[in-house]
Amino acid sequence: MVHPFRTLLGVSAFLLASAVMSGGVADAAAGVAFLPHQALYELSLVRSRGSTTINSARGRILYNFSGSACEGYTSDFRQVSELDAGEGKVTLSDLRSTSWEDAAGKSYRFKIDARMNDGDSKPVDGIAERTGDHITVKLKQPETKTFTIDGAVVFPTEQIRRIIESAREGKSLLELTVYDGSENGEKIYNTLTVIGKPISPDRAIGEPDPSTTSDQMKTLTRWPVTVSYFDREAKAKEGEETPIYAMSFELYENGVSRSLVLDYNDFVIAGTLGKFDVHDSKPCN
């Protein structure tokens, strides 16, 4: 079964644009600024392996990011993808997500709706609040439920910020535990981020895209990054971890991602940046 693309980086956490001096917004809480933008990624199959045979894959990811350090950050995400396994076996998935996170990483609201083929939607709706040494999660869907998680867990925007900081400091590894409201609203991921050597802005680009030709991007450093996601519950039960999936991409110092690769173990999908537009930002008063 296709595992829908997570909402970072994401989207993903990783489609967020987070950077110093990118949008003229001073983020006092995190020491970074975030660039409001829209990005469109075209999906295609890289390879199929293991027990699952995929003949072709296609789809799109459309991502919108807006907000400021004063009002918090909002992301709207949609991924539609189609996998053809041959013999008439076609899987169509449609994932939509809206989330809001305050600049200090203390509050996170999310709504996620996933559909597979003609099946019913599976909505998740909730809010997570950080208080002291714990986080309280209150779900409205799929069922009304309240529970607490470890305060060391980070939300998606905070995850991005820490990856950027680690890259700037020259670190090659970063381990974080992440909560983004995906799955049934109760899933927590252990993540391992591997950061490669910085790519200077004057290095030649083999396959240019709208980010590499943007005036706001031409002078920025970027890093090759791979983030592997592990099921935290599986480690607790079995004592070992196997990645559920991994995301690789080139991460600019302003947080924009290009050359996206999604590895679901049985198959690998590439996401090529087909459109990139910067939105106006509102400075904090």
Side-chain angles (χ1 to χ4, degrees), residues 35-89:
L35 181 66
H37 74 289
Q38 182 183 81
L40 177 68
Y41 296 82
E42 300 286 351
L43 304 179
S44 60
L45 180 68
V46 176
R47 60 183 175 273
S48 176
R49 62 188 180 214
S51 59
T52 301
T53 300
I54 302 296
N55 293 335
S56 65
R58 61 174 181 159
R60 284 183 171 183
I61 294 173
L62 180 62
Y63 182 79
N64 278 285
F65 176 80
S66 61
S68 70
C70 303
E71 60 189 18
Y73 305 104
T74 299
S75 63
D76 291 299
F77 169 99
R78 185 178 184 185
Q79 176 186 342
V80 177
S81 56
E82 181 182 271
L83 294 183
D84 186 349
E87 299 180 354
K89 298 177 182 178

Side-chain angles (χ1 to χ4, degrees), residues 6 9 20 25 30 34 45 48 59 75 87 96 101 109 119 137 152 158 176 181 189 191 206 220 228 234 241 262 270:
R6 293 179 63 251
L9 15 37
V20 175
V25 181
F34 291 79
L45 180 68
S48 176
S75 63
E87 299 180 354
R96 307 183 190 202
E101 185 176 338
R109 297 197 299 262
V137 179
E158 176 72 4
L176 291 172
Y189 295 95
T191 70
L220 301 180
S228 298
E241 291 182 290
L262 310 175

Side-chain angles (χ1 to χ4, degrees), residues 163-175:
I163 291 174
I164 293 173
E165 287 183 347
S166 294
R168 286 174 172 163
E169 293 170 2
K171 297 179 180 179
S172 60
L173 295 176
L174 176 65
E175 292 184 85

Side-chain angles (χ1 to χ4, degrees), residues 15 23 29 32 51 71-73 75 88 92 104 131 135 148 156 160 169 174 231 237 240-241 249 252 256 278:
L15 306 180
V32 299
S51 59
E71 60 189 18
Y73 305 104
S75 63
L92 178 64
T131 305
I135 296 171
T148 61
I160 289 292
E169 293 170 2
L174 176 65
D231 188 332
K237 295 177 181 178
E240 61 182 43
E241 291 182 290
F249 47 93
Y252 282 95
V256 175
V278 177

Side-chain angles (χ1 to χ4, degrees), residues 17-264:
S18 53
V20 175
M21 301 304 292
S22 288
V25 181
D27 188 334
V32 299
F34 291 79
L35 181 66
H37 74 289
Q38 182 183 81
L40 177 68
Y41 296 82
E42 300 286 351
L43 304 179
S44 60
L45 180 68
V46 176
R47 60 183 175 273
S48 176
R49 62 188 180 214
S51 59
T52 301
T53 300
I54 302 296
N55 293 335
S56 65
R58 61 174 181 159
R60 284 183 171 183
I61 294 173
L62 180 62
Y63 182 79
N64 278 285
F65 176 80
S66 61
S68 70
C70 303
E71 60 189 18
Y73 305 104
T74 299
S75 63
D76 291 299
F77 169 99
R78 185 178 184 185
Q79 176 186 342
V80 177
S81 56
E82 181 182 271
L83 294 183
D84 186 349
E87 299 180 354
K89 298 177 182 178
V90 177
T91 301
L92 178 64
S93 63
D94 187 347
L95 175 65
R96 307 183 190 202
S97 168
T98 298
S99 64
W100 175 89
E101 185 176 338
D102 76 331
K106 293 183 177 180
S107 182
Y108 177 61
R109 297 197 299 262
F110 52 91
K111 289 185 178 181
I112 304 170
D113 191 1
R115 293 176 182 268
M116 191 78 70
N117 293 328
D118 295 326
D120 295 334
S121 65
K122 298 180 179 180
V124 179
D125 185 353
I127 182 171
E129 300 280 357
R130 187 184 305 276
T131 305
D133 62 354
H134 67 277
I135 296 171
T136 300
V137 179
K138 296 181 180 180
L139 294 178
K140 296 180 181 178
Q141 291 180 297
E143 61 179 316
T144 301
K145 188 173 186 178
T146 299
F147 57 94
T148 61
I149 57 179
D150 192 332
V153 173
V154 301
F155 303 135
T157 305
E158 176 72 4
Q159 180 188 16
I160 289 292
R161 182 183 73 82
R162 294 199 187 186
I163 291 174
I164 293 173
E165 287 183 347
S166 294
R168 286 174 172 163
E169 293 170 2
K171 297 179 180 179
S172 60
L173 295 176
L174 176 65
E175 292 184 85
L176 291 172
T177 306
V178 179
Y179 177 80
D180 64 2
S182 60
E183 298 290 342
N184 60 356
E186 300 182 51
K187 181 71 71 175
I188 298 175
Y189 295 95
N190 288 339
T191 70
L192 174 64
T193 301
V194 178
I195 305 169
K197 295 182 179 179
I199 302 172
S200 62
D202 58 355
R203 183 184 297 187
I205 299 175
E207 298 182 0
D209 60 38
S211 72
T212 63
T213 57
S214 170
D215 290 337
Q216 292 185 257
M217 309 294 290
K218 291 180 179 179
T219 61
L220 301 180
T221 299
R222 62 189 192 275
W223 294 267
V225 173
T226 298
V227 185
S228 298
Y229 290 84
F230 305 85
D231 188 332
R232 192 184 191 192
E233 293 181 358
K235 180 182 180 181
K237 295 177 181 178
E238 302 173 10
E240 61 182 43
E241 291 182 290
T242 300
I244 300 173
Y245 57 94
M247 301 173 60
S248 299
F249 47 93
E250 289 184 2
L251 178 64
Y252 282 95
E253 61 183 299
N254 74 344
V256 175
S257 299
R258 69 180 299 271
S259 297
L260 180 66
V261 177
L262 310 175
D263 189 339
Y264 295 109

